[in-house]
Amino acid sequence: MIVFDGVEKRFGDHVVLKELSFSVAPGEHVTLIGPSGSGKTTILRLLMTLEKVDAGTISVGGRYLSHIERGGTLVPADEKHSREVRKKIGMVFQQFNLFPNMTVRGNLIEAPTRVLGLSKDEANVRAQDLLDLVGLGEKIDAHPTQLSGGQQQRVAIARALAMRPDVLLLDEVTSALDPELVAGVLKLLRDIGESTDITILCVTHEMGFARDFSDRVMMFDGGRVIEDAPPGKLFTDPDHQRTRDFLQAVLNH
Amino acid sequence: MENLGTFLSVLSEGLPETLTATIGGIALTIVLSLVAGLALLSPSKTVRVISRIYVEGLRGTSEVVQLFWIFFVLPVLVGFQIVPIWAGVLVLGLNHGAYGAEIVRGAVQSVPRAQYEGAIALGLSPAQRMRRVILPQAVVEMLPPFNNLFIQLLKSTAILSFVSVNEITRQAQQVLVPRFNPQAFEIFMLLLVIYLVLSLIITAVMRFLERVAAARVGRRPSAEARRQAAGAGVA
Amino acid sequence: MNVWDWNFAAEILPALLNGLRVTVIATVLGSVIAFALGLVLAVLGRGPRPVRIVVRGLVEFIRSTPLLVQIYFLYFVLPGFGIVLGALTIGVLALGVHYATYTSEVYRAGIEAVPRGQWEAATALSLPRGRVWTGVVLPQAIPRVLPALGNYVISMFKETPLLIGIGVLDIVGQARQVGGENFRYVEAYTLAGLLFLLLSYPAALAVRRLERRRAVR
């Protein structure tokens, strides 16, 4: 579903990702862990085309993300191509990024009506269903600022799902939440993971969640994947000393 | 004081021209501010440079010069004379639009980057992002500086008296002062008070719009909304 | 007849430069009044309640009404009180007073930006009131507001042509005169515009640089 091939990303002189290659199968749930600054979030941002690769290619569902093939060679794609591929990808952000100038309903129907071309009625039905799913059915006409952080994040998840994405990117979605609100959001994500076949790529510091949610866990350090294994293996018997140190540090904190 | 009625009626004969210039000027200012302000943020360098030349050129020269230029020079270049009041609206709009462009640019840039990213992640096109997500939030930031700009514009309408537009300042200076010279104090105080009232009206309208816009982005929730927000914390 | 006549342009340039001299004099003297009076208004604006209300009301009134009308007001009203001044003097006064209402707001913001702790420390040292202002508050407030004051000088420069309303021969007054004598306005007003741009644009760039330097610090 997702293929990274020799991807490199620099910010100025700082190399964030080096020669990165990996792939994710359809329906797979992959969690990226590692110390901050190791490039995990950059991977999600590259997939959402919020950043551009400096070298290498990324493809999603068999199509290049920011390149198109022309006469046998790859050339950078335009905004229109990126937007086309992006329709298949949803993202939930650490800071929710709900639009404050719209109600919850507005946030949920905006893209389905304007990007997917759904009618208002269809989009409204979809919005109501999704809000029921995330347990906020009665908040459809509330304003984002009237909601708690946990509720805002659940609306943001519903907003991403409203686009019926093939791939869902979760970028530290519980990091900005008060501790007592984290469990509810994680439970919701587990339910979504079980009840859909969406491919999910997730960056998180919640190791318990990573453990029972993922099919695979990738440990990042210094812009490289240093270990890639099922959670059962990685959390109990990692191959790398760096992985052991990292897990020790986060589990004991 | 016995002539106050006369003063008021002579001055009010100039009100239609003052109001036309103010409202027309404000309308043109809004349009030019948005167009030039967004052009300043365009990905195309050519568009940015053109807009920058407009903004700096109009801000760098005097409004009176611009008025005389459009009134006396433009007809020589294009071959016809513009009706004075519309020349006035044109100058007021062009001049204040250049200042407004910077307001629009600043307000758009003040919208957090995360909002762009949220809109990109939903697959909205650049135009949709701007129109549906960024501008509605930027408007809240624009309104207070636009209030000041519109009051400046109202004050600038007085210069139209230089090109024989019979607005209220010209009524005072050309009609009243020659007839009632000893009462110049009363005449001009009355004139100043009229401008003050007009500027208070502009401020009142803009304050109202600020409240509406702020409520739309949930900045200053109503009592009901605040109560709901307080209850939401437990969920 | 050509639209643009270089010879005519060269011929009228000295008159325009003469006008520019008047414009610059009016701007400089007007700025001196605006800087000084604005500071007085700002300090009075923090005075006892009745003073504060009167000062703020006056500032609001002057700011909300056209400078041109204020120029006419002084020009036509002062003689009635036995005060007879030249047109340029009236113009300088009007510019200075009008812009003092703007600079007073600038000073006010600068004064409010001085941390409360500075006032408290000065009080704790039992400094006399006057010394608190001149020794502690203003030396911190004024450098901060210099770019904003600079911007108002540039604005004032561009508004001096309003003085043609009372017959002052600034750049625009000269342009109008030489243009009218020859029935050729293209060169006169275009040159007048260019002269403004030539002075105010570099000045605006300089103020922006000053702003950035302050922002970095």
Side-chain angles (χ1 to χ4, degrees):
Chain A
M1 192 69 202
I2 302 171
V3 180
F4 272 62
D5 185 12
V7 170
E8 196 158 307
K9 177 67 193 171
R10 289 181 298 268
F11 291 116
D13 290 339
H14 179 59
V15 182
V16 189
L17 299 175
K18 282 174 226 158
E19 290 277 313
L20 181 69
S21 301
F22 68 88
S23 56
V24 177
E28 205 175 8
H29 299 166
V30 176
T31 300
L32 313 179
I33 63 168
S36 31
S38 58
K40 307 168 306 235
T41 288
T42 306
I43 290 176
L44 302 192
R45 294 175 62 83
L46 284 169
L47 274 164
M48 201 69 255
T49 62
L50 298 174
E51 311 282 354
K52 299 252 177 300
V53 292
D54 291 311
T57 60
I58 303 171
S59 64
V60 174
R63 298 177 70 186
Y64 287 112
L65 204 55
S66 44
H67 295 83
I68 43 175
E69 257 181 292
R70 194 176 288 154
T73 55
L74 289 179
V75 294
D78 53 4
E79 159 80 20
K80 216 177 143 207
H81 172 86
S82 303
R83 217 185 312 147
E84 207 50 46
V85 187
R86 245 183 239 149
K87 280 187 195 170
K88 301 270 158 226
I89 309 175
M91 183 163 181
V92 183
F93 298 86
Q94 185 176 352
Q95 299 289 346
F96 333 135
N97 299 7
L98 292 180
F99 303 136
N101 54 314
M102 302 173 190
T103 59
V104 168
R105 182 197 302 275
N107 269 279
L108 263 73
I109 68 170
E110 178 70 15
T113 54
R114 281 170 199 274
V115 179
L116 301 182
L118 259 60
S119 74
K120 269 239 154 71
D121 289 343
E122 290 170 302
N124 270 313
V125 170
R126 194 181 277 196
Q128 187 65 61
D129 288 349
L130 282 166
L131 285 174
D132 289 341
L133 173 76
V134 303
L136 292 171
E138 79 287 6
K139 297 284 186 191
I140 189 158
D141 289 312
H143 203 277
T145 50
Q146 299 167 353
L147 304 179
S148 72
Q151 291 174 327
Q152 289 191 46
Q153 193 58 297
R154 283 193 257 164
V155 171
I157 292 167
R159 183 174 76 170
L161 292 176
M163 295 295 285
R164 302 262 162 93
D166 296 337
V167 176
L168 185 62
L169 309 173
L170 305 174
D171 184 12
E172 305 198 21
V173 295
T174 56
S175 298
L177 299 180
D178 290 335
E180 72 272 20
L181 302 176
V182 170
V185 170
L186 292 182
K187 171 160 188 329
L188 172 64
L189 291 173
R190 283 193 188 94
D191 292 346
I192 291 167
E194 277 165 25
S195 61
T196 67
D197 52 5
I198 303 175
T199 309
I200 299 179
L201 218 60
C202 167
V203 171
T204 185
H205 293 119
E206 299 288 336
M207 291 304 147
F209 173 74
R211 189 173 190 148
D212 56 41
F213 176 76
S214 330
D215 302 310
R216 249 166 78 202
V217 178
M218 296 204 285
M219 167 74 194
F220 270 78
D221 194 32
R224 293 174 192 280
V225 183
I226 59 168
E227 196 156 352
D228 181 348
K233 163 95 169 84
L234 194 131
F235 284 113
T236 50
D237 181 25
D239 290 334
H240 261 264
Q241 185 58 40
R242 279 292 294 145
T243 312
R244 259 192 294 274
D245 293 345
F246 173 74
L247 290 174
Q248 194 99 52
V250 291
L251 294 176
N252 289 346
H253 92 112
Chain B
M1 277 299 134
E2 76 272 20
N3 291 323
L4 210 58
T6 315
F7 296 166
L8 206 52
S9 80
V10 172
L11 288 179
S12 64
E13 279 169 37
L15 265 182
E17 301 282 52
T18 294
L19 293 179
T20 307
T22 308
I23 294 166
I26 287 177
L28 188 57
T29 296
I30 293 172
V31 173
L32 288 174
S33 301
L34 283 172
V35 171
L38 293 179
L40 286 175
L41 295 164
S42 163
S44 151
K45 176 145 194 203
T46 320
V47 172
R48 282 202 309 272
V49 167
I50 292 171
S51 184
R52 185 46 70 192
I53 290 172
Y54 159 64
V55 169
E56 300 298 347
L58 271 288
R59 294 201 314 173
T61 52
S62 166
E63 205 174 6
V64 177
V65 178
Q66 290 158 17
L67 178 68
F68 286 166
W69 204 90
I70 284 190
F71 201 74
F72 293 105
V73 177
L74 201 61
V76 178
L77 302 182
V78 298
F80 63 89
Q81 179 79 43
I82 308 173
V83 182
I85 181 72
W86 296 119
V89 167
L90 191 59
V91 168
L92 293 170
L94 281 170
N95 183 283
H96 293 86
Y99 289 90
E102 287 290 358
I103 295 176
V104 170
R105 185 183 64 89
V108 167
Q109 283 182 324
S110 77
V111 175
R113 175 105 201 113
Q115 290 291 317
Y116 284 93
E117 299 190 343
I120 290 174
L122 287 175
L124 298 180
S125 72
Q128 288 170 332
R129 273 175 238 159
M130 186 53 77
R131 207 163 48 80
R132 303 285 308 168
V133 177
I134 305 302
L135 271 185
Q137 298 182 50
V139 164
V140 185
E141 302 294 322
M142 289 177 205
L143 288 174
F146 265 119
N147 184 10
N148 288 334
L149 190 65
F150 294 160
I151 288 174
Q152 293 292 348
L153 189 146
L154 164 71
K155 289 158 60 181
S156 288
T157 59
I159 66 171
L160 301 194
S161 62
F162 289 153
V163 292
S164 60
V165 173
N166 286 315
E167 45 68 72
I168 54 179
T169 298
R170 191 175 171 89
Q171 290 291 100
Q173 185 238 351
Q174 298 276 331
V175 181
L176 289 178
V177 171
R179 274 170 65 195
F180 304 94
N181 199 0
Q183 284 178 284
F185 180 84
E186 286 88 340
I187 294 167
F188 283 113
M189 272 319 258
L190 192 58
L191 180 61
L192 288 169
V193 168
I194 292 174
Y195 278 110
L196 181 68
V197 169
L198 292 177
S199 80
L200 289 176
I201 292 172
I202 291 177
T203 300
V205 171
M206 293 301 283
R207 288 273 157 79
F208 171 74
L209 293 177
E210 276 169 43
R211 270 204 305 280
V212 171
R216 278 193 50 184
V217 299
R219 287 276 177 80
R220 211 171 305 148
S222 62
E224 165 70 3
R226 226 175 285 133
R227 197 183 54 75
Q228 279 189 11
V234 293
Chain C
M1 192 167 97
N2 283 330
V3 170
W4 182 269
D5 180 345
W6 283 106
N7 289 329
F8 183 62
E11 204 179 295
I12 62 172
L13 193 59
L16 292 180
L17 290 176
N18 209 10
L20 180 62
R21 200 175 52 87
V22 174
T23 302
V24 171
I25 289 173
T27 307
V28 170
L29 296 179
S31 300
V32 171
I33 296 178
F35 289 172
L37 183 60
L39 188 55
V40 172
L41 291 175
V43 174
L44 288 179
R46 296 178 63 94
R49 210 175 131 79
V51 178
R52 199 163 65 210
I53 289 171
V54 170
V55 168
R56 295 222 175 138
L58 194 67
V59 165
E60 208 47 54
F61 182 59
I62 295 174
R63 274 165 66 97
S64 305
T65 52
L67 174 55
L68 179 60
V69 178
Q70 290 159 14
I71 292 170
Y72 287 142
F73 181 89
L74 293 182
Y75 187 77
F76 288 108
V77 172
L78 285 184
F81 293 90
I83 305 167
V84 181
L85 300 169
L88 183 58
T89 313
I90 298 245
V92 166
L93 269 179
L95 285 169
V97 172
H98 189 81
Y99 274 87
T101 63
Y102 288 103
T103 57
S104 78
E105 288 294 308
V106 169
Y107 287 123
R108 191 173 65 85
I111 292 166
E112 276 169 12
V114 174
R116 251 194 99 67
Q118 294 293 310
W119 291 89
E120 289 167 357
T123 312
L125 292 171
S126 326
L127 289 182
R129 191 85 184 140
R131 187 62 201 149
V132 176
W133 278 106
T134 57
V136 179
V137 175
L138 293 180
Q140 297 184 56
I142 290 177
R144 247 186 268 249
V145 301
L146 282 179
L149 292 180
N151 276 328
Y152 281 124
V153 173
I154 298 171
S155 295
M156 187 191 291
F157 174 64
K158 289 179 291 187
E159 280 211 276
T160 49
L162 294 177
L163 303 190
I164 62 171
I166 54 172
V168 172
L169 286 178
D170 75 324
I171 309 181
V172 181
Q174 291 283 3
R176 188 153 76 157
Q177 200 169 52
V178 295
E181 282 163 6
N182 300 277
F183 299 105
R184 283 196 67 95
Y185 291 103
V186 178
E187 295 84 355
Y189 287 131
T190 306
L191 283 176
L194 286 176
L195 284 175
F196 272 103
L197 197 60
L198 221 58
L199 281 167
S200 76
Y201 186 56
L205 288 184
V207 169
R208 268 177 240 171
R209 259 185 67 184
L210 188 66
E211 258 166 6
R212 266 203 299 280
R213 273 224 330 258
R214 300 234 164 265
V216 170
R217 223 178 277 170

